[in-house]
Amino acid sequence: MSLIATNTDDVIQDSVKLGSPLDYFRLMKPRVMSLVVFTAFVGYYISTPVSGYDLNPFLASIGIFAIALGAGASGVLNQWYDRDIDKLMNRTKDRPIPQGKILASEALSFGIIVSVLSVIILGLSVNWMAASLLAFTIFFYAVIYTIWLKRTTVQNIVIGGAAGAFPPVIGQICATGNIGVESLTLFLIIFLWTPPHFWALALIKKEDYANANIPMLPIIYGDEVTKKNILIYTLLLIPSSFLPWVLGYSGLIYLVIVSVCGLEFFRRSLLLFKKNNGAEKSLFLYSIFYLSVIFAGICFDKLIDMGI
Amino acid sequence: MKTSKKDDDIKAFYENRKSKNIAVFGIIIFMVILFFFITILRMDITG
């Protein structure tokens, strides 16, 4: 009897702590969601208009909303699984689960329900091929990256980076019903952009990752190897960023943007490689700017091309 | 004092449960409207 009473008290105590809608929104990693929505939109936008495949703009908007939900759901599942290490890291200790604002079981239920809903909404509103790829992306991020790779290999963010690179492909499937070379080049750009971005962050937050025992490159092989790898991936990223122009679906405006931004990316990577203190933070912030600007550049170029 | 804290917890529990139920109800209504619009728009495309 006393056991039941204690459990009831626990239930009441736990329920009192249940998070606000804002906590649930934070659980969905809104900054990552916004980047996913943006890149998916670019994948969609560069593929339109398509003859013989007329997607209602309202349905397309619902599709983008579903992709945002899917990205949020995978963020929730990531935070549910990483709740033990999140509380050990300064960068993540303020997240809703380590803060005790949302119960782990609530987060898991929420993540699964939103994942399923996002796939169903995308399938019904746009097409089931896009929905299948969204489902695979959620699986890739939550299971392949979060559960399997993140704590076991130093190549975690290299392979896991594919999860963040799928949204433009989903966007193109929404627009055309097929995968085309345009979205595959965007996939490649994001895939090659991810290692310099996250390794710069790992250099800044090295102690955090070490406390949580996550095998990031600076912890396993040290700063010098990390900086060298950042430079290598930068040298792969910059020529790849020219592909939209090489393949002819972006014009001179994009060429100018990517040339200027690519040179600056290279300069900052080189500065970091030459043992410049503080350059990792500068590179990390610039990498976000770089991806946003070149993707915006692709859209802007197309707007001009269409005579707007 | 202990009873008062427990009463407060119980009150907060019911308030939380109520707001959570309202949120779930809102989401269900939103989904119904969303799926209604998806159906109508898809019919326009295929029909």
Side-chain angles (χ1 to χ4, degrees):
Chain A
M1 189 66 189
S2 66
L3 183 68
I4 294 168
T6 306
N7 285 342
T8 311
D9 284 352
D10 286 348
V11 168
I12 291 170
Q13 282 290 334
D14 286 345
S15 303
V16 168
K17 288 192 293 186
L18 283 182
S20 65
L22 188 66
D23 291 323
Y24 279 90
F25 183 64
R26 282 179 58 215
L27 198 64
M28 296 176 86
K29 296 191 176 180
R31 275 177 296 182
V32 176
M33 266 168 76
S34 62
L35 189 66
V36 167
V37 167
F38 177 56
T39 56
F41 173 77
V42 175
Y44 171 82
Y45 183 67
I46 57 165
S47 314
T48 54
V50 181
S51 58
Y53 191 89
D54 187 22
L55 181 64
N56 183 298
F58 187 72
L59 285 174
S61 307
I62 296 173
I64 297 288
F65 168 72
I67 294 169
L69 276 186
S74 56
V76 174
L77 294 172
N78 168 274
Q79 290 193 45
W80 163 76
Y81 188 78
D82 280 349
R83 63 194 184 281
D84 56 335
I85 53 174
D86 276 355
K87 65 184 173 194
L88 303 173
M89 299 169 68
N90 284 328
R91 190 173 75 88
T92 53
K93 68 181 182 189
D94 291 333
R95 285 177 173 174
I97 301 176
Q99 284 285 306
K101 289 177 179 168
I102 292 175
L103 299 173
S105 55
E106 291 265 336
L108 178 62
S109 320
F110 182 62
I112 292 171
I113 290 168
V114 176
S115 297
V116 173
L117 270 179
S118 66
V119 172
I120 292 173
I121 292 171
L122 190 61
L124 290 176
S125 62
V126 182
N127 63 56
W128 287 101
M129 189 177 168
S132 307
L133 190 59
L134 179 65
F136 178 73
T137 305
I138 296 169
F139 170 80
F140 196 95
Y141 186 71
V143 179
I144 306 283
Y145 170 67
T146 304
I147 297 177
W148 182 25
L149 299 171
K150 186 172 178 179
R151 302 181 194 209
T152 54
T153 170
V154 77
Q155 294 296 322
N156 48 14
I157 52 103
V158 178
I159 309 165
F166 281 124
V169 185
I170 301 173
Q172 185 166 45
I173 299 172
C174 289
T176 65
N178 279 306
I179 298 173
V181 72
E182 296 90 349
S183 67
L184 289 178
T185 53
L186 299 184
F187 175 95
L188 184 69
I189 291 169
I190 300 175
F191 185 75
L192 294 172
W193 167 88
T194 307
H197 172 75
F198 275 104
W199 284 334
L201 178 69
L203 284 169
I204 302 164
K205 302 284 180 187
K206 203 165 59 177
E207 284 178 14
D208 253 13
Y209 284 112
N211 286 340
N213 210 18
I214 300 172
M216 296 300 281
L217 198 59
I219 294 150
I220 305 298
Y221 291 106
D223 289 8
E224 297 314 307
V225 174
T226 307
K227 288 172 182 177
K228 190 178 165 189
N229 275 276
I230 286 176
L231 189 64
I232 291 168
Y233 272 93
T234 303
L235 289 171
L236 292 170
L237 169 68
I238 293 169
S240 306
S241 302
F242 283 90
L243 282 174
W245 176 74
V246 173
L247 294 169
Y249 67 88
S250 279
L252 278 175
I253 294 169
Y254 177 76
L255 180 65
V256 172
I257 291 171
V258 83
S259 303
V260 174
C261 293
L263 269 176
E264 180 60 14
F265 204 119
F266 174 68
R267 191 187 70 81
R268 291 188 191 222
S269 294
L270 200 62
L271 213 62
L272 179 64
F273 182 67
K274 289 179 175 174
K275 303 180 178 91
N276 192 303
N277 287 335
E280 58 269 21
K281 192 172 182 183
S282 148
L283 180 69
F284 173 73
L285 294 173
Y286 185 76
S287 66
I288 300 168
F289 173 81
Y290 177 82
L291 194 71
S292 310
V293 167
I294 66 164
F295 271 58
I298 293 171
C299 290
F300 186 66
D301 206 304
K302 184 163 180 176
L303 267 175
I304 299 293
D305 191 45
M306 288 166 76
I308 299 168
Chain B
M1 188 66 189
K2 198 178 175 185
T3 315
S4 170
K5 167 115 178 40
K6 196 174 174 185
D7 287 346
D8 286 348
D9 282 350
I10 289 169
K11 196 179 167 192
F13 168 76
Y14 281 113
E15 276 173 9
N16 266 322
R17 197 173 68 169
K18 189 180 172 186
S19 55
K20 198 175 168 190
N21 286 344
I22 291 169
V24 171
F25 181 71
I27 290 166
I28 291 169
I29 296 293
F30 174 74
M31 286 299 163
V32 170
I33 295 167
L34 185 69
F35 286 125
F36 173 77
F37 273 109
I38 290 173
T39 309
I40 297 298
L41 290 166
R42 295 287 292 195
M43 281 168 71
D44 271 351
I45 287 167
T46 52

